[in-house]
Amino acid sequence: MKTLPIVDHPTKAHAFVADNERTHWHDQALWFVRSKRDKQAGSVPEWEYLRSLASQIKTETIAKLGDYLSEFERNATALGATVHWAADAAEHNEIVLKILRDHETLRIVKSKSMLTEECGLNHFLEDNGIEVVDTDLGERIVQLRKETPSHIVLPAIHIRKEEVGETFHEHLGTDEGASDPQYLTEAARGHLRDKFLAGEVGITGVNFAIAETGGFVICTNEGNADLGVSLPRVHIACMGIEKIIPRFEDLAVFIRLLARSATGQPITTYTSHFHGPRDPQSELHIVLVDNGRSQLRNRSEFRDALHCIRCGACMNTCPVYRRSGGHSYSATVPGPIGSVLSPTRDSSSYKSLPYACSLCGSCTDVCPVKIPLHHQLLAWRKELVDQNLLPYSKRISMKGASILFRNPRLFTFAGWVGRKSLKWLPHGMTHNRWNTWTIARELPEPPRESFRHWYAANRKR
């Protein structure tokens, strides 16, 4: 198994956090989306009932995952689709490449799919001589900039319109300095229209696959998935195995939750259903991908993370994500849910992510399928300690704190030393390049007396 690089979230976040203007703007943009979500949730009286129902459906689905996947394969095959199974990202990429080579394909158009990002499909296909065009506007912007998405729903949320104008001027030939959103969007539309017409195979993700019918659903706001698979004769749909739901009637529950939680809309502009190839001359391939999901399913404390419907609501509300940006996580799925999922993939490489959390619980409050995210992040911290992956500096400081808090006399003495030190120590003794904690923090003014003294004087009888 390939060893992943160690991700140190504070280091990765440093450049983004140091750009005060970008951090402030990013924070406000995401909080605006979160506020829209709150209004939509408040407009549905049965909102909490829907969340509970969705959680129950997902719990049932994950408990009987093998049965529902087999049922889906059987029904999808009966509709004329070809179902493939991939144990990991490498197998998924090889399956897709084989299909493309069987059809002598040189150009594909692809709608937004976090699974293909997770599998590194774009780079794999490009290395094999195939042109890949992401047709979601945000994903096309980050693709032109040779970046990765920073958000699973809003992949270019970290980029300002002026920077989009610079990118389009360089790659699409738009006017230099142009930043008008309508002008830039029209330029992207013209650029992508040619790519759609030249695409030989369409690749999409899947939002929900229904075991009962063998069909699946893709939700977009731009219609790019529909156009991308309507012109070519071959459609490849790539889905993680957790995207399955048991029955057609369950779909309405998730459709009502998804867009409201993601972008504060009642429903996405396009909710497209696919049931087999569109005609006898066309092909539909569905690639079911595990890539660690079965491993996650076997861990009871983190299993509920498989309930995720990839709405991004936990990112929009997370104070750490909003202020540090998605690239600081160095993961396909950033934010709170990514901080749960990534250590499952490699706990050593992603050991810093469960600490990129204030444990405020806001992510849990907004999750449409009631994943207890902040509890899972706390559980991951315990897991990392058990695996001896906590840095020595933190282990020794925690042991010191444990001794301090268990000894009242020592605690009182330490408080006295702290108050005196804060009053008399030169500023440079605490704020220097060796103490990274104080880079963006000031210490409080020392109180004149301790709480213990105040209590004895004012409350103790």
Side-chain angles (χ1 to χ4, degrees):
M1 182 176 177
K2 184 180 178 182
T3 304
L4 297 172
I6 303 294
V7 176
D8 183 53
H9 181 266
T11 304
K12 290 280 186 180
H14 185 266
F16 191 91
V17 174
D19 187 341
N20 189 52
E21 183 183 350
R22 187 183 298 272
T23 304
H24 188 66
W25 159 78
H26 188 263
D27 180 25
Q28 286 191 324
L30 287 168
W31 189 251
F32 173 70
V33 180
R34 157 71 203 264
S35 301
K36 287 175 63 184
R37 174 263 174 208
D38 290 348
K39 288 180 182 176
Q40 284 296 330
S43 69
V44 180
E46 65 274 27
W47 182 256
E48 290 304 318
Y49 170 73
L50 287 173
R51 290 180 69 210
S52 298
L53 189 56
S55 178
Q56 292 169 19
I57 294 169
K58 279 292 186 179
T59 299
E60 177 203 352
T61 305
I62 301 304
K64 302 177 181 176
L65 187 59
D67 294 339
Y68 286 128
L69 288 170
S70 296
E71 183 181 357
F72 173 77
E73 180 188 30
R74 189 166 57 250
N75 290 327
T77 303
L79 291 170
T82 303
V83 177
H84 308 261
W85 297 81
D88 53 28
E91 190 173 359
H92 163 267
N93 293 346
E94 290 292 344
I95 290 170
V96 173
L97 180 62
K98 183 177 186 306
I99 297 170
L100 298 180
R101 283 183 169 162
D102 287 346
H103 293 83
E104 300 178 347
T105 304
L106 295 176
R107 288 176 293 276
I108 66 159
V109 287
K110 185 166 76 68
S111 67
K112 187 149 65 64
S113 161
M114 297 316 295
L115 177 70
T116 58
E117 293 286 342
E118 173 187 325
C119 295
L121 181 66
N122 281 20
H123 294 309
F124 177 79
L125 294 182
E126 288 165 355
D127 290 345
N128 283 279
I130 295 171
E131 180 188 3
V132 180
V133 177
D134 279 315
T135 56
D136 174 89
L137 178 57
E139 287 224 322
R140 186 58 178 159
I141 292 169
V142 297
Q143 187 182 32
L144 291 173
R145 294 169 62 89
K146 302 188 186 306
E147 296 179 359
T148 56
S150 67
H151 189 290
I152 61 174
V153 176
L154 312 163
I157 188 67
H158 61 290
I159 304 170
R160 287 177 287 207
K161 60 182 181 181
E162 292 80 7
E163 294 169 319
V164 174
E166 293 169 8
T167 303
F168 281 11
H169 172 66
E170 179 184 352
H171 295 277
L172 309 187
T174 55
D175 295 340
E176 187 172 8
S179 61
D180 177 61
Q182 182 170 345
Y183 170 74
L184 296 174
T185 304
E186 288 177 354
R189 180 181 296 158
H191 161 71
L192 286 172
R193 182 72 58 174
D194 293 337
K195 300 294 184 184
F196 277 122
L197 292 172
E200 299 166 353
V201 169
I203 296 181
T204 68
V206 170
N207 287 97
F208 304 102
I210 303 130
E212 182 183 54
T213 66
F216 61 88
V217 171
I218 302 173
C219 303
T220 70
N221 278 324
E222 300 171 19
N224 57 305
D226 301 73
L227 188 55
V229 300
S230 296
L231 298 176
R233 287 292 178 188
V234 180
H235 174 188
I236 304 173
C238 306
M239 61 171 273
I241 55 176
E242 83 283 8
K243 294 296 182 71
I244 198 84
I245 57 174
R247 298 159 293 269
F248 185 70
E249 65 184 24
D250 299 328
L251 181 62
V253 176
F254 294 100
I255 292 296
R256 296 186 74 190
L257 290 167
L258 178 63
R260 287 183 170 91
S261 299
T263 53
Q265 300 169 252
I267 193 169
T268 48
T269 308
Y270 299 88
T271 302
S272 305
H273 296 245
F274 296 86
H275 294 89
R278 69 172 186 269
D279 57 47
Q281 288 73 46
S282 302
E283 294 180 24
L284 172 61
H285 296 265
I286 304 170
V287 187
L288 303 176
V289 185
D290 188 317
N291 202 33
R293 287 161 175 79
S294 294
Q295 183 183 347
L296 180 61
R297 180 174 176 267
N298 292 333
R299 304 194 61 172
S300 59
E301 66 272 46
F302 305 118
R303 185 181 300 143
D304 287 354
L306 287 171
H307 295 187
C308 180
I309 59 173
R310 302 292 191 268
C311 68
C314 61
M315 299 165 203
N316 301 339
T317 197
C318 175
V320 176
Y321 175 89
R322 296 200 321 265
R323 291 168 177 80
S324 63
H327 288 155
S328 60
Y329 295 79
S330 294
T332 304
V333 180
I337 183 64
S339 297
V340 172
L341 294 174
S342 297
T344 306
R345 185 181 175 200
D346 186 331
S347 57
S348 178
S349 297
Y350 294 103
K351 61 187 178 186
S352 74
L353 296 191
Y355 295 92
C357 170
S358 63
L359 297 179
C360 67
S362 186
C363 49
T364 302
D365 289 342
V366 301
C367 178
V369 288
K370 291 198 166 186
I371 302 172
L373 285 162
H374 71 293
H375 292 293
Q376 293 190 341
L377 288 167
L378 188 60
W380 255 121
R381 296 182 186 185
K382 178 181 182 301
E383 179 81 13
L384 293 172
V385 171
D386 292 343
Q387 293 182 19
N388 204 27
L389 289 173
L390 196 67
Y392 178 77
S393 58
K394 284 193 176 180
R395 291 205 306 272
I396 197 69
S397 60
M398 288 298 104
K399 286 187 182 298
S402 174
I403 295 171
L404 184 67
F405 293 140
R406 284 185 285 123
N407 190 323
R409 289 188 177 182
L410 182 60
F411 183 84
T412 302
F413 175 72
W416 179 83
V417 171
R419 289 193 301 278
K420 296 299 179 186
S421 300
L422 285 173
K423 189 174 181 180
W424 298 111
L425 275 180
H427 190 265
M429 289 291 288
T430 54
H431 289 68
N432 51 57
R433 61 193 177 97
W434 290 287
N435 188 1
T436 56
W437 190 86
T438 57
I439 288 176
R441 297 180 176 93
E442 276 297 334
L443 294 171
E445 288 289 328
R448 293 182 178 178
E449 59 180 349
S450 68
F451 173 77
R452 189 183 296 271
H453 289 151
W454 177 90
Y455 187 83
N458 295 279
R459 292 288 187 273
K460 196 170 184 180
R461 298 178 186 278

